[in-house]
Amino acid sequence: MYAVFLSPESWSAVVLSLRVSLVATIVSLPLAIWIAHLLARKEFWGKSLLNGLVHLPLVLPPVVTGYLLLITFGRRAPIGQFLEQTLGIVLAFRWTGAALAAAIMAFPLMVRAIRLAIESVDPKLEEAAATLGAGRWFTFTHVTLPLILPGVIAGSVLGFAKAMGEFGATITFVSNIPGQTQTVPSAIYAALQVPGQEGDAFKLVSLSVILAMGALLVSEALTRRHRRRVMPS
């Protein structure tokens, strides 16, 4: 039944896209929370520079980001050679590289959503916890984090959706290898290059819309559930 809707190669692209997006979101989420908290609550030299670096992938052409990844983490690049020889990690032209590219492109959206959530929390609540003897980690996990959880969920969904749709940086860094690095956007692009495969491209587009809408509905449901628990009627 599944093969009727999509070919095995297309299903492989869908599975790989889900894998890449989940890994990119889960791995980058802790760093996104930390950077968002740093930008929202701290004043330090270089804050504007850090903020600019975080949002740089949003304004750079994705192909440029992919090229920078290639010359930084490629197998002939110093960092790429170090990772391969020391840790056995290869990123260029592997699905792990696709996850890295997706995470970098999604990171600014995650940080932005979480930062707005943190800035909406009254700092006096955190100060009150500190005056009662709570440490910074306890205050964050028991006061701040529960209050910003809707923003964390929203940022995660935005990051996941961006990772699912990432194309330029991914195809530049890891190419478009069916079964290895071909994600849904790459599969759509490849289908559109072959006459007569417009139907396959439309099916992938339709599935992408369904997955994106499903993620948004799940996010909304989780947010509402959290609000009912925090602010019971």
Side-chain angles (χ1 to χ4, degrees):
M1 180 179 68
Y2 297 105
V4 174
F5 182 68
L6 287 176
S7 65
E9 293 78 10
S10 296
W11 277 118
S12 176
V14 172
V15 172
L16 181 60
S17 286
L18 291 172
R19 183 183 185 185
V20 165
S21 301
L22 284 173
V23 170
T25 303
I26 293 172
V27 170
S28 58
L29 183 58
L31 181 60
I33 295 175
W34 179 63
I35 293 295
H37 188 269
L38 194 65
L39 293 174
R41 289 287 190 257
K42 304 295 183 181
E43 294 295 334
F44 54 91
W45 184 89
K47 180 177 179 178
S48 297
L49 178 61
L50 176 61
N51 186 60
L53 290 174
V54 167
H55 291 87
L56 193 59
L58 288 180
V59 295
L60 279 178
V63 174
V64 173
T65 302
Y67 175 73
L68 292 175
L69 288 173
L70 189 60
I71 64 175
T72 303
F73 296 100
R75 303 188 72 167
R76 295 183 179 181
I79 297 178
Q81 290 181 347
F82 172 80
L83 291 175
E84 182 177 2
Q85 297 172 3
T86 305
L87 303 176
I89 298 176
V90 179
L91 296 173
F93 307 106
R94 300 287 179 88
W95 78 268
T96 49
L100 175 62
I104 290 177
M105 297 302 295
F107 191 72
L109 298 177
M110 298 174 68
V111 171
R112 183 63 178 171
I114 298 172
R115 180 181 178 180
L116 290 174
I118 295 175
E119 290 177 343
S120 68
V121 175
D122 190 348
K124 293 181 180 179
L125 296 174
E126 298 168 333
E127 295 171 1
T131 58
L132 294 174
R136 292 183 178 178
W137 178 249
F138 185 90
T139 300
F140 179 78
T141 56
H142 289 75
V143 178
T144 308
L145 187 58
L147 294 174
I148 68 169
L149 192 56
V152 174
I153 295 174
S156 300
V157 172
L158 285 173
F160 178 84
K162 177 63 176 176
M164 278 288 294
E166 174 49 38
F167 174 71
T170 301
I171 199 171
T172 305
F173 185 37
V174 300
S175 189
N176 184 15
I177 307 173
Q180 298 184 40
T181 65
Q182 187 177 74
T183 58
V184 168
S186 301
I188 294 173
Y189 174 79
L192 291 175
Q193 306 309 303
V194 181
Q197 290 194 7
E198 293 83 0
D200 291 339
F202 179 77
K203 292 176 182 178
L204 285 170
V205 169
S206 301
L207 185 58
S208 299
V209 173
I210 293 172
L211 290 173
M213 182 59 68
L216 291 173
L217 292 175
V218 170
S219 170
E220 184 67 19
L222 291 174
T223 301
R224 289 182 178 179
R225 181 179 179 183
H226 171 73
R227 287 175 178 172
R228 285 197 299 265
R229 293 178 59 185
V230 175
M231 298 179 292
S233 56

